[in-house]
Amino acid sequence: MDNMTIDKNRAVPPEEYADLRKALTLISGKWKLEILWLLYHRTHRFGELRKTIPGITQHMLTRQLRELEADGLVTRTVFAEVPPRVEYSMTEATKALEPTIMALMAWWQQFGKAAQGGTQPEE
Amino acid sequence: MDNMTIDKNRAVPPEEYADLRKALTLISGKWKLEILWLLYHRTHRFGELRKTIPGITQHMLTRQLRELEADGLVTRTVFAEVPPRVEYSMTEATKALEPTIMALMAWWQQFGKAAQGGTQPEE
DNA sequence: CTGGATCCCCCAGGATACTG
DNA sequence: CAGTATCCTGGGGGATCCAG
């Protein structure tokens, strides 16, 4: 496919739609975007993420990080030190995702927000 | 917003992160993307969507469409005819979202797919 | 400090039957 | 044809305690 737009003459492409679903799944965790957001700034330690993200528990943070790691969206580095230290950082895939994330946010701010302005833009 | 990139010098922007979460929520329904995908081609009748989307039930189709409508992502047109006819079509917001959706899919195909190489095979 | 093991709750998703 | 009205289920999310 040489053109990044939807082919109006063809029926639904099931496999590509599946890809789309999977891509969404990767970032669908409740805290994943916020974690990635922090990692866009810099590498964080586990405790830093925990303190910075309001409302998250160790358990959830661990789970979300494990999933992100399995999906190649974060890198986990363990330091064999006396007080355990684990650092999480973004990957190439994470970096490549940033423009899309920002585009999604911009889209919401322009269209979604208005639509939710009361379920009806104006009357 | 003059720059579409994350400010590395600032802490987490809670409100913008909330916007991002909401944007994701709008398209997080299991069948929403596939519905939008079909509407990118052309306006569809309820029955058309039902027949075209494999595995969806009337119930789920109705629910997803209602949510999309409430979020301003689809337009619902009812024709007062003897055999009821209802058509669904995309909105300006839907159109504006297309590039982002395609970008997300392209991202997955380039990065996510490779990352899943060792996770779990398909079924 | 990091994170595993358990138990619990809620709700998106689904199966089924009925209707203007 | 295009929906509602019920009921049920799985699993994501959460609270809490334990451990290296």
Side-chain angles (χ1 to χ4, degrees), chain B residues 28-31 57 59-60 63-64 84:
Chain B
S28 290
K30 180 168 183 181
W31 308 94
T57 61
H59 191 203
M60 279 314 298
R63 282 169 58 175
Q64 300 281 290

Side-chain angles (χ1 to χ4, degrees), chain A residues 46-47 59 62 66 76 88:
Chain A
F46 184 87
H59 192 204
T62 300
R66 286 288 181 279
R76 182 170 180 264
Y88 294 90

